[in-house]
Amino acid sequence: DSGVTQTPKHLITATGQRVTLRCSPRSGDLSVYWYQQSLDQGLQFLIQYYNGEERAKGNILERFSAQQFPDLHSELNLSSLELGDSALYFCASSNRLARDEQFFGPGTRLTVL
Amino acid sequence: AQSVTQLDSHVSVSEGTPVLLRCNYSSSYSPSLFWYVQHPNKGLQLLLKYTSAATLVKGINGFEAEFKKSETSFHLTKPSAHMSDAAEYFCVVSDPYNNNDMRFGAGTRLTVKP
């Protein structure tokens, strides 16, 4: 158990809809990262937040957005969903000290029908 | 920019034989390097990490990796494979001076035959 929690575990929705994925980092970790894992694209970094502020952006679509709240939990919002958005979405956290590894949550499996 | 290349997309070994999963990296800085394992329908678990201390790094479950700067490699090994080692393995390079920006390899799927 990494100490990172994600909800929900599974999510099934329809095209055009909007969903919110939630992540709670390990106690004491200030940095949260979001990743998308799909069969054709592999594991891709989406976005990072540190202590409530956006710090880095990866291959995140404009239809997707995220935020980190004062209690450090984070939410990833996916809107106008398409079939191709079906994937595993992982959250990871780190202390953001130099050379610290990231700890991954169990993931949310999103299926868009 | 930093990157990693996992040289094999699929490795198959017999139980009890050695495991070698190959990884080459490219980095402008002195990198941090990691190996993560992902079992089916699970999250990623850290196996081991290199952070400029000893070049031979020991991890969990009997895995180890050796950092070779001259070869820009960080191969993962295990002397004797177990059935439970069957999983996807990811080599990762991190730039600790750039928000821990992590770049993942494409992954190597390890199959262990009885």
Side-chain angles (χ1 to χ4, degrees):
Chain A
D1 184 1
S2 67
V4 178
T5 60
Q6 289 187 249
T7 57
K9 198 169 183 178
H10 300 280
L11 199 47
I12 301 174
T13 188
T15 54
Q17 295 298 305
R18 171 191 166 96
V19 297
T20 297
L21 313 184
R22 182 189 168 103
C23 168
S24 292
R26 289 190 323 154
S27 177
D29 283 356
L30 300 178
S31 212
V32 169
Y33 307 77
W34 285 98
Y35 294 87
Q36 179 194 59
Q37 186 179 38
S38 61
L39 282 173
D40 52 347
Q41 300 280 347
L43 195 63
Q44 290 204 91
F45 166 66
L46 295 178
I47 196 165
Q48 178 205 358
Y49 278 80
Y50 175 73
N51 204 21
E53 292 188 7
E54 181 185 306
R55 296 306 293 259
K57 255 184 173 177
N59 298 320
I60 188 166
L61 300 172
E62 284 192 14
R63 300 184 284 109
F64 297 180
S65 65
Q67 54 184 330
Q68 186 179 27
F69 295 86
D71 67 353
L72 300 178
H73 91 272
S74 178
E75 292 180 356
L76 178 67
N77 301 296
L78 315 176
S79 61
S80 302
L81 285 167
E82 302 175 358
L83 295 178
D85 298 327
S86 296
L88 259 175
Y89 291 85
F90 287 107
C91 165
S93 73
S94 77
N95 206 327
R96 200 194 167 254
L97 292 176
R99 304 185 183 280
D100 263 12
E101 68 267 29
Q102 296 178 19
F103 293 87
F104 283 76
T108 293
R109 181 171 292 281
L110 174 66
T111 302
V112 182
L113 301 176
Chain B
Q2 53 192 7
S3 64
V4 289
T5 302
Q6 292 184 243
L7 299 168
D8 307 292
S9 60
H10 186 209
V11 169
S12 181
V13 301
S14 297
E15 191 175 20
T17 64
V19 176
L20 170 63
L21 305 183
R22 299 182 295 165
C23 172
N24 287 116
Y25 71 91
S26 171
S27 177
S28 302
Y29 306 99
S30 181
S32 293
L33 292 159
F34 309 85
W35 276 98
Y36 282 84
V37 61
Q38 184 181 25
H39 288 93
N41 299 312
K42 301 285 188 185
L44 280 75
Q45 180 186 19
L46 180 69
L47 274 180
L48 49 81
K49 67 177 180 179
Y50 165 77
T51 56
S52 78
T55 56
L56 183 62
V57 182
K58 293 189 183 299
I60 62 171
N61 300 336
F63 284 94
E64 61 183 39
E66 186 171 7
F67 174 72
K68 291 187 177 180
K69 188 174 182 178
S70 60
E71 298 176 11
T72 61
S73 69
F74 190 58
H75 302 334
L76 181 71
T77 60
K78 181 173 180 177
S80 176
H82 192 272
M83 295 297 291
S84 62
D85 295 328
E88 188 93 16
Y89 291 79
F90 294 93
C91 181
V92 185
V93 63
S94 169
D95 180 358
Y97 303 106
N98 184 24
N99 295 317
N100 275 352
D101 180 27
M102 294 179 87
R103 299 301 167 104
F104 286 76
T108 297
R109 180 163 297 279
L110 176 65
T111 301
V112 182
K113 298 174 290 188

